[in-house]
Amino acid sequence: MTTKQRQNLDKYYQSKYGISLETYEGMREAQGGKCYICGDIPSGKGPWGKPAKLVVDHCHTTGRVRHLLCNRCNPLIGMALENKERLLQAQDYVENECQIYTSKAEV
């Protein structure tokens, strides 16, 4: 990454999340380059065809930065509106309800 790209990325993290690029890199290192939720190391292409990377997860109510997540786990939290009960209901659904039918033909 060029110096200019690093400066632009630093400005982006500062303005959007209130952290520096150095802080992001420290978080990534502390997490071993892995998603905080699933433990995957991003690979391949992410959204918009760019290389996959860990994204900054933050609370939409407080703005507080939490951890770095992959581009599968981060939208999962957002789509559930950061609602713990909804996520627990989804977990219950996946663990129990999805086992009702054994094939698409039975649906």
Side-chain angles (χ1 to χ4, degrees):
M1 183 181 312
T2 68
T3 301
K4 183 66 173 168
Q5 288 171 321
R6 287 185 61 79
Q7 289 172 343
N8 288 340
L9 197 51
D10 185 62
K11 285 179 187 175
Y12 170 77
Y13 286 136
Q14 293 273 1
S15 66
K16 182 144 182 151
Y17 306 110
I19 65 170
S20 65
L21 175 58
E22 185 177 331
T23 299
Y24 170 89
E25 290 170 339
M27 292 172 68
R28 186 181 62 214
E29 185 176 324
Q31 289 180 211
K34 299 176 183 177
C35 173
Y36 190 83
I37 293 176
C38 71
D40 285 352
I41 295 174
S43 62
K45 300 277 183 180
W48 306 285
K50 294 182 179 181
K53 66 176 188 168
L54 294 171
V55 297
V56 177
D57 177 53
H58 68 287
C59 175
H60 286 245
T61 303
T62 65
R64 191 178 126 259
V65 170
R66 294 185 281 223
H67 295 282
L68 302 180
L69 304 179
C70 69
N71 56 17
R72 287 195 174 124
C73 291
N74 191 50
L76 173 72
I77 302 300
M79 294 300 256
L81 303 174
E82 301 183 7
N83 181 299
K84 179 181 174 182
E85 185 63 31
R86 183 170 291 184
L87 290 166
L88 291 172
Q89 289 169 334
Q91 177 185 4
D92 182 60
Y93 175 78
V94 169
E95 289 175 351
N96 300 303
E97 302 299 326
C98 290
Q99 297 173 18
I100 293 173
Y101 301 104
T102 58
S103 71
K104 290 181 182 178
E106 293 182 39
V107 174

